[in-house]
Amino acid sequence: MTRSPGGGGPHWGSGVIEADVALRRSRFFVGVPALGYLIYVAVLSAGYYYNLTFVQLGLIDLGTRLVGMPEGQVSVAMAALALLAFVVALVTGRVMDKRGWSSDLRVKFRILFVVVATQTVLTMVAPQVATPRQFGLWVMFSAVGIGAGIPVTFSLMIDFIPIRHRGYVAAVVTGLAFSAAALYPLEWRIDEFAPLMTLVMIPAAAALGVISFRRFAFVDELARQHERFGIGRFCRPTPIATASLAFWMLVIVMFSVFFIDSLGSLRIIDTPAYISTSWQSPSIGPRLFIAVAHVVGAAMAGVLYTSFGRRWLLVWIFGLFAFTHLLYTFHLGTSPAGMDPPLVLPLFYVLAVSFYTTLNFALWPDLSTPSTVGTNTALGVGIAGWLASFLSTALALYSISSGLSLLEHLRYVNALALLLAVAYPLVLYFRRMRTLATNPEST
Amino acid sequence: MNLALIPLLIAALLMASTDPNIETVELVLNGTHQITEHRGALVVADAQVTVPSDEQVPGPIYVVGGELVVAGRISTDVIHLAGTVTVESGAEITGELQHIGGSQQVSASSQIGQRSSLGDSPAAGNPLVRIASLVFLTLTLAGVGRSLARRRISALHNVAGAISSHPIITFTVGTLLTLTFLSVFVFMAFTFILLPVAIVGLLAGAVTVAYGFIAWGDLIGRRLPVHRQDLSTAIGVVLAVAALQLLALLPLIGDLIALAVLLTGVGAVAVTYFGVASFTPELMPDEG
């Protein structure tokens, strides 16, 4: 007796029928994992693009231009959003791990459906937000959606992506999200974003609803994959505990990376001379250059993540950020008036961003097991990603409102970047030294 | 920016650093510009820069690529290392127009304080000289390759092994290192204080590129029916140079392949610590 892979009815009969079933089964098995890759890439790249542009940049436009709030108040709202999103992410992640939802794909799809449906409604109503009270409510619901979405989406890697492919798949997600953001020729205005995003999100929410609430054989098959590769790369043979120093060192390091990036980039994109010649250039050339640089940077990060230890990648990230901010401060201090800044400035920025984003997608699932991935991704992405980005965005807005010049602001960012670029290798070096001193045979 | 301009850019900065009258240097990397407000020295890289007819700029101006069009007045020197310099009718260069390389169009009715040329020697542009230079470079690389194969064959094999076993990883590392360090060296050169470090860095980079290329030669040499390893490496290097010359006949694609070959070599040298150790990528844990 042969049972179809989808759990359908039994088949009796000749060897020909069995061979046919076996053939169909083999095709089925080849196709289903590929579907997992597709779902992961689609969900994460669309989700990252949405949150990267619509929420982080659109929120500023919504608060300052449409509602007419001062930048200081918008920065407070952004900080509140970051904190609330983090708390919701943490609670969701903990509940997922405790109830076993982290390894239950169907539950994750259902939560994701609720998140996408909520965000679709929020996107539709965004251009109608007119008062500070409505803005506050919009921010609150947005934070809940983001918070719940973080552990659900980032933990999908353990269901869909085998360990050896995680760096490359993370690179694909990063490349797609950032190149789309670079190529899409819109100003960061919420009333331009909202209709287009709604058009994309409605069918996505519908598709998620269908696969969440109807039973499909391919979902059952995908849901079992975590049994093979759910335990992350850095948890073999010994799992890394959430409360361990190794885990929290990485949280702190990644927090620093995201913090420095947003702190610098929010002021750079607020400067017409830089933004109009790069990310929002009216001609396609610079934007295409940035999009390609994102893809190349992500691909490089994918190769490095897969082939080397994570520490090397972090050293490169800090080095690239330090150098990027040096370039910007140098250019600000020395460039002739009226001369377009060279593309080498955004090039290094883009490389650094692609590097750390790729790392961010792959790192937290690789530091987790199916029973810790909810909490770990919530802590990792929540603290290092959202909390850092939004806190530094709020700080950048505060720096604008307090009249700090771009050069002055970038000097602070530069100092932070240089400090970390020097401190991180030193910490690694002294840790190695301590290991050698306490255990000379570990050479 | 064209990466080939970087050595010329460093050379221009080196010249500028020896001039006690220069306090600041401005670099024009790309695009089309008219110089109206300017102080200190100016370096023209991959850009088109015009000094308009009603403007006077102090200079000196170093042209390492792109195009400089002089319609107005330059109060000091123009040093032309590469690219194009056009001096239009009625334009004036008070100091010296030094021609080291590149093409020039100078109007007869322009005023130039003094003209000198290092690039107009009979040897310049002569195909025989170019071939002789290539032969000299090839023989030097082959000689170094032969010497390395005699004395440090395991190191050479480590680098060659990294190229053949992990071309994508070595290409990635090579690209990243080259891109980052070239930019860092140019940046250092602009500080003037770190100019010697930038020059040493560029020389170290050239040594790394040569080492990686010799490893390619070793890879080719091992496939030849030559039993002596040192000889096969030397012949392999000669064949590698010949292959790159043939590739250069293909526009763009040939250059890209040649660049990929060199970057892969650089990456292989880096990941093997100059051949000290063989390279093994991080092992992925077994799944299941």
Side-chain angles (χ1 to χ4, degrees):
Chain A
M1 189 177 82
T2 310
R3 218 168 252 285
S4 72
H11 298 274
W12 291 272
S14 67
V16 175
I17 293 172
E18 288 200 1
D20 180 52
V21 170
L23 182 66
R24 275 190 285 143
R25 180 193 295 196
S26 69
R27 281 181 188 157
F28 188 78
F29 277 122
V30 168
V32 169
L35 205 57
Y37 283 76
L38 275 177
I39 295 172
Y40 180 83
V41 169
V43 168
L44 268 289
S45 51
Y48 206 76
Y49 173 78
Y50 175 84
N51 291 307
L52 183 83
T53 52
F54 187 75
V55 179
Q56 196 179 9
L57 300 167
L59 189 71
I60 302 169
D61 179 61
L62 179 63
T64 54
R65 196 177 56 83
L66 285 188
V67 182
M69 289 164 68
E71 278 171 344
Q73 277 186 27
V74 176
S75 67
V76 171
M78 290 195 87
L81 184 145
L83 279 170
L84 185 57
F86 170 61
V87 171
V88 174
L90 203 54
V91 171
T92 311
R94 283 296 291 163
V95 171
M96 280 171 63
D97 286 347
K98 281 209 155 194
R99 300 203 169 186
W101 295 349
S102 295
S103 50
D104 188 333
L105 185 60
R106 287 197 169 279
V107 177
K108 284 201 261 189
F109 272 151
R110 283 172 193 162
I111 301 174
L112 190 59
F113 166 69
V114 174
V115 168
V116 174
T118 309
Q119 291 194 323
T120 307
V121 173
L122 284 171
T123 308
M124 284 166 72
V125 302
Q128 272 74 52
V129 172
T131 65
R133 184 183 157 77
Q134 288 171 350
F135 180 72
L137 280 171
W138 193 93
V139 165
M140 194 182 78
F141 282 114
S142 189
V144 172
I146 291 167
I150 286 171
V152 174
T153 51
F154 277 75
S155 69
L156 287 176
M157 196 168 239
I158 69 159
D159 298 293
F160 296 143
I161 314 297
I163 291 172
R164 64 171 59 85
H165 294 160
R166 287 182 182 176
Y168 302 118
V169 173
V172 171
V173 172
T174 304
L176 277 176
F178 280 114
S179 55
L183 283 176
Y184 193 62
L186 277 184
E187 280 192 42
W188 291 319
R189 285 171 168 244
I190 207 137
D191 38 1
E192 286 190 38
F193 270 131
L196 189 88
M197 293 303 293
T198 309
L199 272 179
V200 179
M201 289 168 87
I202 287 174
L208 265 173
V210 171
I211 59 171
S212 302
F213 295 102
R214 283 198 62 184
R215 200 162 185 89
F216 289 97
F218 78 90
V219 176
D220 291 336
E221 210 49 60
L222 287 172
R224 280 196 291 273
Q225 290 195 128
H226 75 267
E227 291 163 12
R228 281 190 291 127
F229 46 71
I231 297 172
R233 172 181 165 187
F234 305 117
C235 287
R236 299 178 185 222
T238 315
I240 293 177
T242 306
S244 66
L245 183 67
F247 181 82
W248 281 97
M249 270 294 286
L250 282 167
V251 171
I252 292 166
V253 166
M254 289 299 282
F255 177 92
S256 314
V257 170
F258 274 89
F259 189 83
I260 290 169
D261 168 38
S262 285
L263 197 60
S265 70
L266 258 292
R267 287 298 306 264
I268 289 168
I269 64 169
D270 201 46
T271 307
Y274 288 126
I275 197 66
S276 62
T277 53
S278 54
W279 285 274
Q280 285 201 346
S281 168
S283 61
I284 186 76
R287 284 188 280 116
L288 186 64
F289 175 82
I290 287 173
V292 172
H294 267 303
V295 173
V296 172
M300 280 179 169
V303 171
L304 294 181
Y305 180 81
T306 311
S307 316
F308 297 91
R310 58 185 186 267
R311 293 187 183 99
W312 277 108
L313 202 53
L314 284 164
V315 168
W316 270 114
I317 291 167
F318 283 130
L320 283 174
F321 264 124
F323 184 57
T324 305
H325 287 112
L326 267 178
L327 282 176
Y328 271 101
T329 44
F330 184 78
H331 184 259
L332 271 169
T334 59
S335 63
M339 206 166 275
D340 286 352
L343 277 172
V344 72
L345 302 180
L347 169 71
F348 276 96
Y349 217 115
V350 159
L351 281 182
V353 168
S354 287
F355 267 51
Y356 81 69
T357 309
T358 302
L359 183 63
N360 190 47
F361 280 120
L363 181 65
W364 309 113
D366 268 346
L367 284 166
S368 310
T369 65
S371 57
T372 59
V373 72
T375 309
N376 286 2
T377 51
L379 282 170
V381 182
I383 294 179
W386 283 101
L387 205 55
S389 292
F390 279 89
L391 285 178
S392 58
T393 302
L395 203 60
L397 285 175
Y398 176 76
S399 114
I400 295 169
S401 65
S402 63
L404 203 66
S405 73
L406 178 64
L407 184 60
E408 201 72 23
H409 178 90
L410 284 184
R411 275 201 191 118
Y412 290 114
V413 182
N414 206 359
L416 264 176
L418 279 172
L419 186 70
L420 285 163
V422 172
Y424 185 69
L426 279 178
V427 168
L428 291 182
Y429 185 82
F430 285 114
R431 271 186 66 184
R432 177 75 182 144
M433 187 194 277
R434 199 183 66 175
T435 309
L436 289 173
T438 51
N439 182 15
E441 288 177 9
S442 68
T443 51
Chain B
M1 185 185 155
N2 184 356
L3 293 181
L5 295 182
I6 287 173
L8 288 176
L9 183 57
I10 303 264
L13 291 170
L14 191 62
M15 288 183 205
S17 70
T18 57
D19 187 338
N21 298 320
I22 296 173
E23 289 181 356
T24 59
V25 177
E26 290 173 357
L27 169 66
V28 191
L29 271 176
N30 48 34
T32 305
H33 308 276
Q34 290 208 335
I35 301 298
T36 50
E37 274 181 47
H38 170 66
R39 57 187 169 79
L42 186 77
V43 179
V44 179
D46 238 355
Q48 187 184 17
V49 173
T50 304
V51 178
S53 55
D54 52 347
E55 292 290 337
Q56 174 175 336
V57 294
I61 299 181
Y62 298 86
V63 184
V64 299
E67 185 179 8
L68 171 70
V69 179
V70 186
R73 187 175 176 212
I74 296 169
S75 310
T76 51
D77 301 338
V78 173
I79 300 96
H80 183 196
L81 291 107
T84 307
V85 170
T86 305
V87 186
E88 294 185 346
S89 169
E92 184 181 352
I93 297 172
T94 312
E96 184 180 357
L97 173 59
Q98 295 178 30
H99 181 221
I100 297 168
S103 60
Q104 279 189 356
Q105 288 181 339
V106 181
S107 168
S109 54
S110 62
Q111 291 180 48
I112 297 171
Q114 192 184 341
R115 284 184 78 175
S116 65
S117 181
L118 295 174
D120 284 345
S121 64
N126 187 336
L128 279 177
V129 173
R130 209 181 71 82
I131 292 169
S133 309
L134 183 66
V135 169
F136 174 74
L137 178 70
T138 308
L139 290 179
T140 307
L141 283 174
V144 175
R146 191 178 169 199
S147 172
L148 266 175
R150 274 185 181 169
R151 295 173 189 181
R152 295 273 187 276
I153 189 66
S154 61
L156 206 51
H157 282 352
N158 282 339
V159 180
I163 291 173
S164 60
S165 306
H166 309 288
I168 293 174
I169 299 172
T170 48
F171 171 71
T172 304
V173 172
T175 306
L176 193 58
L177 285 175
T178 307
L179 187 66
T180 311
F181 278 96
L182 272 182
S183 306
V184 169
F185 292 144
V186 170
F187 187 79
M188 281 178 165
F190 269 93
T191 65
F192 282 146
I193 299 165
L194 292 176
L195 198 52
V197 180
I199 292 167
V200 170
L202 274 184
L203 288 175
V207 169
T208 311
V209 172
Y211 192 179
F213 191 75
I214 289 168
W216 273 103
D218 183 54
L219 263 181
I220 296 169
R222 273 193 257 167
R223 283 153 181 79
L224 298 174
V226 179
H227 294 298
R228 274 180 55 190
Q229 277 188 327
D230 58 340
L231 206 57
S232 68
T233 302
I235 296 170
V237 170
V238 174
L239 289 176
V241 174
L244 284 194
Q245 290 301 309
L246 285 175
L247 276 172
L249 297 175
L250 295 171
L252 189 65
I253 293 173
D255 290 341
L256 287 176
I257 296 173
L259 185 66
V261 164
L262 296 179
L263 292 175
T264 307
V266 169
V269 172
V271 296
T272 59
Y273 300 92
F274 280 74
V276 170
S278 62
F279 171 66
T280 311
E282 188 105 329
L283 289 174
M284 288 289 129
D286 291 326
E287 294 162 2

